[in-house]
Amino acid sequence: MLAILVSKPLYAETLKVPLPAGREEHYALQTGLLELALTYAPGKHRLEIVAVDGLSQKRAFSLLSEGEVNVVLAGYSRAAEHDLLQIDFPLTKGLQGYRLLITRADNLKMLDRIENQADLRSICIGSGNSWVDTVILKHAGLCVTGGPGLSLYDMLENKRFDAMHLAIHEVKTGNVAKLIKQHDLAVYENLLLRYPYDFYFYLGKDSQSLHDEIEQGFQAAVKDGAIDRYFIEHPMISAAIGFLRDHPGLHIIDLDNPEMTSQTSSDLYRYWFGN
């Protein structure tokens, strides 16, 4: 079922972006950046969030091809970059690839023994079926158990795997904190998995002019410094930066992302957090 949220006066162009119903807060950083970029884009635009029950990335792409929406938020993949028009701005400046583990209290000491990628193979990690992260973890030779994103908490509590992962800026959001508490789980704060990865906005191949206007808006907002200001002031990013600052001895294990092309890697690192 589709439900359109946000009512505003008519504009020349309406951007309809689908999000999982009830999880709009989870993606507020990314949609807020799009709204900011639109204020710098040529023409007049407005944003409508289309709430979709049980939305998966695959379903979002289907809605785009069916014309139900005209912009999709998705994790980067070569297929998406090839088949669609990508707005070339990594929406968390790479923080989407900074992953913390969530586990049961009885597993915390087991995670203390992990020093490198080989040690990671001794545990099994829960990951969303449609997440590109799942491809990355499997490419690293890790044990991965897939499931619907919101089901991972139940699966972890019921010992289907040892830990699940979320981006560093996601773990402090209200919905996630509630789920962690509800399932009696804990964030493991001594280890960070890191790989080049981020979310991008995508449009259909027939939306070149709209794509160009949005991309111009992002470029102008970057040049003006507005995106940097927004990024630093956003509570999700502030929490992530605060976590990194408060954990100077954080152990980091870097993983490769087989999906990245040389062009996208260059763009990602150009905007990378800390650059």
Side-chain angles (χ1 to χ4, degrees):
M1 181 182 73
L2 305 186
I4 296 179
L5 308 180
V6 183
S7 177
K8 295 182 180 179
L10 291 177
Y11 284 70
E13 192 86 37
T14 298
L15 277 65
K16 296 182 179 181
V17 180
L19 292 179
R23 303 199 72 207
E24 294 83 0
E25 177 205 19
H26 196 78
Y27 300 102
L29 168 69
Q30 293 91 336
T31 55
L33 277 170
L34 178 56
E35 287 192 295
L36 174 61
L38 292 179
T39 66
Y40 285 82
K44 291 186 177 182
H45 308 81
R46 76 178 182 108
L47 176 63
E48 285 186 358
I49 302 303
V50 181
V52 184
D53 292 333
L55 181 72
S56 66
Q57 192 159 290
K58 182 178 179 181
R59 175 62 176 145
F61 287 139
S62 294
L63 291 172
L64 182 64
S65 67
E66 294 162 3
E68 294 285 344
V69 299
N70 53 3
V71 182
V72 163
L73 171 66
Y76 171 82
S77 68
R78 291 191 184 204
E81 184 180 36
H82 180 268
D83 297 339
L84 302 169
L85 298 176
Q86 177 176 290
I87 302 298
D88 289 326
F89 184 83
L91 294 164
T92 71
K93 295 189 175 185
L95 284 178
Q96 195 68 38
Y98 284 53
R99 314 298 287 193
L100 288 171
L101 296 179
I102 297 170
T103 190
R104 299 182 301 277
D106 60 316
N107 281 340
L108 293 173
K109 288 186 178 179
M110 176 182 67
L111 296 181
D112 283 338
R113 297 194 292 269
I114 294 176
E115 296 290 336
N116 50 46
Q117 185 171 326
D119 293 338
L120 275 173
R121 295 176 184 142
S122 67
I123 68 170
C124 203
I125 300 174
S127 190
N129 285 327
S130 63
W131 297 358
V132 177
D133 309 82
T134 302
V135 176
I136 296 169
L137 298 177
K138 288 183 175 180
H139 177 75
L142 307 185
C143 172
V144 181
T145 299
L150 287 178
S151 297
L152 295 177
Y153 299 90
D154 281 321
M155 295 170 70
L156 177 56
E157 182 182 16
N158 292 318
K159 302 185 177 182
R160 295 280 301 280
F161 43 77
D162 302 305
M164 59 178 284
H165 63 94
L166 283 179
I168 188 172
H169 62 282
E170 296 173 336
V171 296
K172 298 297 185 182
T173 59
N175 283 351
V176 170
K178 181 179 178 180
L179 286 165
I180 289 174
K181 183 177 181 180
Q182 176 184 332
H183 293 280
D184 197 24
L185 303 173
V187 179
Y188 184 68
E189 298 188 345
N190 298 325
L191 175 67
L192 182 78
L193 307 185
R194 183 173 64 184
Y195 39 81
Y197 176 62
D198 217 323
F199 273 84
Y200 291 80
F201 284 111
Y202 293 94
L203 291 80
K205 290 283 192 180
D206 59 349
S207 298
Q208 187 69 58
S209 60
L210 179 58
H211 165 275
D212 293 348
E213 289 178 356
I214 297 171
E215 194 154 269
Q216 287 175 45
F218 271 99
Q219 292 170 356
V222 167
K223 185 176 181 180
D224 183 59
I227 283 184
D228 280 343
R229 292 191 295 271
Y230 173 91
F231 191 79
I232 294 299
E233 293 170 2
H234 196 281
M236 293 173 71
I237 299 304
S238 295
I241 292 173
F243 179 89
L244 293 172
R245 182 190 61 237
D246 296 339
H247 295 76
L250 183 65
H251 185 55
I252 298 175
I253 298 178
D254 286 306
L255 303 176
D256 294 328
N257 181 353
E259 285 289 298
M260 299 297 288
T261 63
S262 58
Q263 177 62 43
T264 301
S265 293
S266 174
D267 284 343
L268 182 60
Y269 287 118
R270 179 159 57 100
Y271 295 110
W272 194 263
F273 172 71
N275 282 357

